[in-house]
Amino acid sequence: DFFGGDKQETMRLYEEILSDANDYGIQVIFHGCTLPRGWERMYPNYVASEAALASENVFFSDYHAKKEGFEMSMHPFARNAVGAFDWGGMMMNHYMSRDNKSRHQRFTSDIFEMATAITNQTSVNCVAMYPNNLDELPQFELDFLRQVPTCWDETRFIDGYPTRYAVIARRIGNKWYVGGINGTDKAMTLTLSLPMFTNKSVRYYVDEPQKSGEILPAASMKTLKVNKKGEAKVTIQPMGGIIIVE
């Protein structure tokens, strides 16, 4: 952590750390660092790099908590396009505190947080859980968090615009996961091209419209029918998300 820079000696240090760690079976995540330079292909023990203002800043300040939608809908087009991105994890507490009542709140929905496991690529997906989450989260959310893959065989861009929204599809084996996030303050209705689900009924994780008095919108799991053209109409709530899985 905390050795950023692009000088030759610094770049050599990164690679020497990876090489030495690999001799002892140690996996490596770099923080406070520069962008990765193809290390995923060079070193089997390289996991990810931070190289951005990551989720710890959401915890530290109300300002960054409000910017999470903007940032996470930017990174698939920018930081994460370069290499594995250790954002830091899906945060499931509604408030940035152990008691889930104090400090500032989270401004993204549960489904938004879960969908970032798909829109963001890293070899280790961290889930920021507190004991209370095991009792408070719906069972379908817990099941997804336990089962979401950490490696992928194929990635497809479905739709998006930097800092506004991103919809990404990833495949492991013969199973596809589609994640979508909305970084804006307005609901967004999209018609997605999903040829991998043509003429199928799929699981659809989605936020309900937020009701007055709610801190964050309620989440639900429904069935979505993809038509014979491979198209599906979806609505992503403000600072919300969707997940589509067969």
Side-chain angles (χ1 to χ4, degrees), residues 93-104 136:
N93 256 12
H94 287 184
Y95 286 89
M96 298 293 106
S97 59
R98 290 186 179 185
D99 62 14
N100 204 19
K101 297 176 183 177
S102 56
R103 301 186 77 245
H104 60 274
E136 295 170 357

Side-chain angles (χ1 to χ4, degrees), residues 146-239:
R146 290 188 180 105
Q147 298 166 9
V148 63
T150 58
C151 60
W152 308 100
D153 298 319
E154 183 180 354
T155 298
R156 294 186 190 178
F157 171 74
I158 302 300
D159 201 357
Y161 190 93
T163 73
R164 297 182 187 175
Y165 71 107
V167 184
I168 307 291
R170 301 193 195 269
R171 176 181 61 82
I172 180 169
N174 60 2
K175 187 168 185 177
W176 283 94
Y177 289 75
V178 176
I181 55 175
N182 177 2
T184 75
D185 60 0
K186 294 181 174 57
M188 189 175 292
T189 298
L190 306 169
T191 299
L192 303 178
S193 176
L194 303 172
M196 67 287 288
F197 297 138
T198 297
N199 215 25
K200 292 181 179 179
S201 293
V202 292
R203 276 182 290 154
Y204 180 42
Y205 300 78
V206 65
D207 300 304
E208 300 296 337
Q210 189 167 348
K211 297 178 181 178
S212 177
E214 286 184 327
I215 299 169
L216 292 171
S220 62
M221 184 174 68
K222 304 177 180 180
T223 298
L224 178 69
K225 178 66 176 178
V226 180
N227 67 26
K228 60 185 179 181
K229 294 181 180 179
E231 296 175 340
K233 189 175 183 179
V234 301
T235 298
I236 313 179
Q237 296 299 323
M239 298 286 273

Side-chain angles (χ1 to χ4, degrees), residues 120-166:
N120 181 41
Q121 183 271 318
T122 184
S123 299
V124 172
N125 257 321
C126 172
V127 182
M129 296 283 285
Y130 284 99
N132 55 280
N133 297 147
L134 298 174
D135 297 323
E136 295 170 357
L137 296 180
Q139 188 61 45
F140 70 86
E141 291 188 16
L142 293 172
D143 290 343
F144 175 86
L145 293 170
R146 290 188 180 105
Q147 298 166 9
V148 63
T150 58
C151 60
W152 308 100
D153 298 319
E154 183 180 354
T155 298
R156 294 186 190 178
F157 171 74
I158 302 300
D159 201 357
Y161 190 93
T163 73
R164 297 182 187 175
Y165 71 107

Side-chain angles (χ1 to χ4, degrees), residues 50-123:
E50 182 187 31
L53 289 173
S55 62
E56 61 189 345
N57 290 280
V58 175
F59 177 83
F60 290 151
S61 74
D62 179 76
Y63 172 81
H64 277 288
K66 291 176 179 177
K67 296 286 286 185
E68 186 183 358
F70 176 96
E71 292 172 359
M72 288 306 285
S73 57
M74 171 183 66
H75 288 313
F77 303 94
R79 166 64 187 85
N80 207 193
V82 176
F85 175 35
D86 189 39
W87 162 257
M90 297 159 269
M91 295 166 281
M92 304 311 296
N93 256 12
H94 287 184
Y95 286 89
M96 298 293 106
S97 59
R98 290 186 179 185
D99 62 14
N100 204 19
K101 297 176 183 177
S102 56
R103 301 186 77 245
H104 60 274
Q105 74 168 80
R106 194 184 83 222
F107 292 92
T108 56
S109 73
D110 284 6
I111 304 298
F112 180 106
E113 292 293 321
M114 292 158 57
T116 62
I118 303 166
T119 60
N120 181 41
Q121 183 271 318
T122 184
S123 299

